[in-house]
Amino acid sequence: MGLKVVSSAIISFSVFLLLASAAKAQSKGVFDVTKYGADKDITEALTNAWKDACASTNPSKVLIPSGTYSLRKLTLAGPCKAAIELQVDGILKAPVDPNQFSGGHWANFGYVDKFTLSGSGTFDGQGKAAWSKSTCQKDKDCDSLPMNIRFDFITNALVRDITSRDSKNFHVNVLGCRNLTFQHFTVSAPGESVNTDGIHIGRSTGIYIIDSKIGTGDDCISVGDGTEELHITGVTCGPGHGISVGSLGKYPNEKPVSGIFVKNCTISDTTNGVRIKSWPALYGGAASNMHFEDIVMNNVQNPVIIDQVYCPWNQCSLKAPSKVKISDVSFKNIRGTSATPVVVQIACSSGIPCDKVQLADIKLAYSGPDGPAKSQCSNVKPIISGIMSASGC
């Protein structure tokens, strides 16, 4: 009898949860853009649907159904009166011509609390023509191309199951956000695409990137100044330039970076693996409490690297050392294969040497003609434990 009572209680509770979930779904107003006159160009319809949903005092959802739509430059902003969701199930295409944009974004979400961006849809930046004309790979003063998606001052938010494809510039830029999670997020662009970082984070706290797939032409994930409590877990990266903290020290008054946790990731066929980089000679800063653990490398050119003489295309002076202080860093259980013989390179500032750098269980193999695998360290005294497959540090 006792077992039957418990089973009945569990079934009743399950039914209650289902009914509650259904009631919650019914209570959320759905604002379908097709009811707002959406045709091939969805810009005006989406703007009006968002405006009505944002004004709702009940949780609301803006729906973009399956289909292919053109979308011009757009800003969807709050504050909204209740939680709001944008469900994108269609393919949104940006204008091909960069001259149709003024400013640094295509789709911008700003100043929204309790926001969800969901669905099986795609933000297609149609960036191929822009990459071929871009001078940003060699010119630091180049004209900025639009990013696919910007999140500015978003709080308590979730981005789930969405794809960003072929952005003209960064795919996603996160600025001033708090408690924002990317889950099952996909970034897709060819390895030769220029300056197409997957997700760039700056001056934000509590950002989670979980179980996502990022393949692009620049950093899969890049971490700017002022980032705190960033958790990257279960991310597949490649092609691209790896997962990078920095570059730091390029601009005055940069805020410290701290609490970076990268774990259980796979990085394949990239120009770098896990990297921390700062510019020499320029401005000060600090980066600490950064930990990279349980990372698989597949044919990665520079699997583990701290580079405090970062100076791409000789765009800076090497006459003075980096003024960025790097401390409390660990690389643990990094395994796989390297495309270059130097599998660990820790090049710290001669002016402010790195402090408290740990290397533990580094099992990286190199099978090329310049073998065996080796490590190089300067201006640092790393704490080494466990297996170290590459001698030198």
Side-chain angles (χ1 to χ4, degrees), residues 5-297:
V5 170
V6 171
S7 299
S8 298
I10 291 173
I11 292 170
S12 297
F13 184 65
S14 299
V15 171
F16 168 76
L17 288 177
L18 287 172
L19 290 173
S21 177
K24 184 178 180 181
Q26 290 175 354
S27 66
K28 178 181 286 189
V30 177
F31 297 80
D32 188 331
V33 295
T34 62
K35 309 300 183 185
Y36 287 78
D39 193 12
K40 291 182 179 180
D41 189 313
I42 201 176
T43 311
E44 186 175 350
L46 177 54
T47 300
N48 291 332
W50 175 273
K51 182 178 179 181
D52 287 350
C54 189
S56 173
T57 55
N58 295 316
S60 60
K61 176 190 289 187
V62 177
L63 174 64
I64 301 176
S66 298
T68 300
Y69 309 91
S70 297
L71 179 68
R72 289 172 277 124
K73 181 180 177 180
L74 180 73
T75 296
L76 299 177
C80 297
K81 293 185 176 179
I84 187 168
E85 177 176 1
L86 173 60
Q87 180 176 324
V88 181
D89 290 328
I91 298 172
L92 306 181
K93 288 186 172 290
V96 173
D97 184 1
N99 293 324
Q100 294 189 35
F101 297 87
S102 58
H105 72 270
W106 170 30
N108 179 212
F109 302 94
Y111 301 94
V112 186
D113 183 40
K114 298 176 184 175
F115 172 60
T116 300
L117 175 61
S118 68
S120 57
T122 297
F123 287 78
D124 185 353
Q126 302 202 90
K128 186 175 181 179
W131 307 327
S132 64
K133 297 177 182 178
S134 174
T135 60
C136 292
Q137 197 166 20
K138 296 182 179 180
D139 180 6
K140 62 182 178 181
D141 297 318
C142 65
D143 292 333
S144 180
L145 294 169
M147 305 174 191
N148 262 11
I149 307 171
R150 285 189 64 105
F151 296 101
D152 294 335
F153 305 98
I154 299 289
T155 56
N156 304 311
L158 172 64
V159 179
R160 181 182 62 213
D161 301 324
I162 290 292
T163 295
S164 175
R165 179 193 300 157
D166 291 348
S167 181
K168 294 177 177 65
N169 198 327
F170 290 9
H171 284 261
V172 173
N173 189 79
V174 175
L175 176 66
C177 295
R178 179 171 51 84
N179 297 336
L180 169 60
T181 296
F182 294 84
Q183 185 174 28
H184 302 139
F185 183 69
T186 301
V187 169
S188 176
E192 63 272 17
S193 58
V194 179
N195 207 37
T196 53
D197 293 46
I199 302 175
H200 177 76
I201 304 108
R203 306 208 174 196
S204 297
T205 302
I207 308 300
Y208 293 79
I209 305 172
I210 303 169
D211 298 335
S212 295
K213 184 176 181 180
I214 302 175
T216 190
D218 211 298
D219 294 330
C220 291
I221 299 168
S222 57
V223 182
D225 77 294
T227 301
E228 297 180 340
E229 292 301 320
L230 169 63
H231 298 260
I232 301 168
T233 307
V235 168
T236 299
C237 167
H241 295 179
I243 297 173
S244 297
V245 177
S247 55
L248 302 174
K250 187 176 182 180
Y251 302 104
N253 304 315
E254 291 185 355
K255 294 184 178 296
V257 171
S258 67
I260 310 300
F261 303 92
V262 181
K263 191 169 184 178
N264 294 328
C265 294
T266 299
I267 303 176
S268 304
D269 301 312
T270 55
T271 56
N272 301 283
V274 287
R275 174 171 59 158
I276 303 168
K277 52 181 177 172
S278 71
W279 292 75
L282 297 176
Y283 300 98
S288 63
N289 190 22
M290 298 174 288
H291 306 284
F292 307 85
E293 186 174 358
D294 298 330
I295 313 292
V296 175
M297 305 283 182

